Amino acid sequence: MPNSLPNNNPLSYLGVRPETPPTAKIYQRAPTTADIIGPEGPWRPGDIWVDQAGNNIWELLEIAGGTATWHISAGANAYPITPFVVGPAGRAGYQTIQAAIDAASAAGSNTAIFIQPGTYTENLTLVSTVTLFGTDFANVIIAGIHTPPAAGNIDFTNITFTSATHILSSAVAGTCAITFQFCVCTVTTGFVFNLTNWTGALGFFESSCNGTND
């Protein structure tokens, strides 16, 4: 793999398209038809608006003639995306990703963990059927080496992973299906997958690697 990102674009190789992936942003109100531009530029179909005050989630369907069409996807008194939100104290229920994973696992159901912007230095013990979803890959950074479950499936979306040696490591002959979507993996000297005995499917979609031997 190349040692640097071509054209400073983290999605410019591995057969991916260079556009920005869908994003999710938190606000204290519901969107209106006039909300066509977000913090990083124009909203795009598929982007998510989280109304924390109203406890609702909105998805942008289209922008036509200068008018935005938003679709509400959660009702009153619903959690914004998920009860398992990681971020600063006072803005999220969990301050570490591992604490959110443990809580989601104890809840006993398939769920997503929503990660707010920040750098999280943790060696995660991952749990099957738990999805890690970041606001966007540039601002959600997880530094460490992580252990996948032996079976089931795990998914990562909109996250930058960094490590000196490797991102995922296990000596187990695991069958878990692992998927990276809209992610960036930066490894100093090593590999994204240190899973030499693994037999489960490894998916890498709309994502990129940066390192020496990835």
Side-chain angles (χ1 to χ4, degrees):
M1 296 301 298
N3 291 333
S4 61
L5 298 178
N7 302 320
N8 294 318
N9 187 342
L11 299 178
S12 57
Y13 55 85
L14 292 185
V16 302
R17 299 189 302 272
E19 68 258 27
T20 304
T23 62
K25 298 296 181 183
I26 297 176
Y27 295 89
Q28 299 301 316
R29 64 175 178 84
T32 71
T33 57
D35 287 307
I36 61 175
I37 298 179
E40 283 81 32
W43 288 94
R44 299 175 303 111
D47 284 347
I48 300 297
W49 178 300
V50 180
D51 173 15
Q52 196 171 46
N55 288 327
N56 290 313
I57 306 166
W58 301 77
E59 179 182 0
L60 180 62
L61 299 182
E62 66 173 354
I63 295 177
T67 299
T69 300
W70 295 90
H71 171 71
I72 190 169
S73 55
N77 300 317
Y79 285 108
I81 296 182
T82 170
F84 306 106
V85 179
V86 182
R91 296 183 56 194
Y94 301 89
Q95 279 63 68
T96 68
I97 299 169
Q98 189 64 60
I101 290 173
D102 294 344
S105 177
S109 61
N110 297 356
T111 190
I113 293 174
F114 185 85
I115 307 171
Q116 295 180 7
T119 297
Y120 302 86
T121 302
E122 304 182 50
N123 295 324
L124 301 174
T125 300
L126 300 162
V127 177
S128 178
T129 69
V130 171
T131 298
L132 299 185
F133 183 90
T135 52
D136 67 78
F137 63 84
N139 293 314
V140 175
I141 301 170
I142 303 177
I145 301 171
H146 317 299
T147 304
N153 60 83
I154 53 174
D155 297 281
F156 310 109
T157 302
N158 284 356
I159 299 170
T160 290
F161 292 89
T162 66
S163 174
T165 54
H166 35 265
I167 304 300
L168 295 176
S169 180
S170 177
V172 175
T175 60
C176 180
I178 303 171
T179 303
F180 289 82
Q181 301 183 82
F182 302 118
C183 290
V184 175
C185 293
T186 299
V187 182
T188 305
T189 302
F191 303 89
V192 172
F193 301 106
N194 184 26
L195 305 170
T196 54
N197 299 308
W198 213 256
T199 60
L202 306 176
F204 215 65
F205 304 105
E206 306 284 353
S207 299
S208 64
C209 300
N210 179 33
T212 57
N213 300 301
D214 21 341

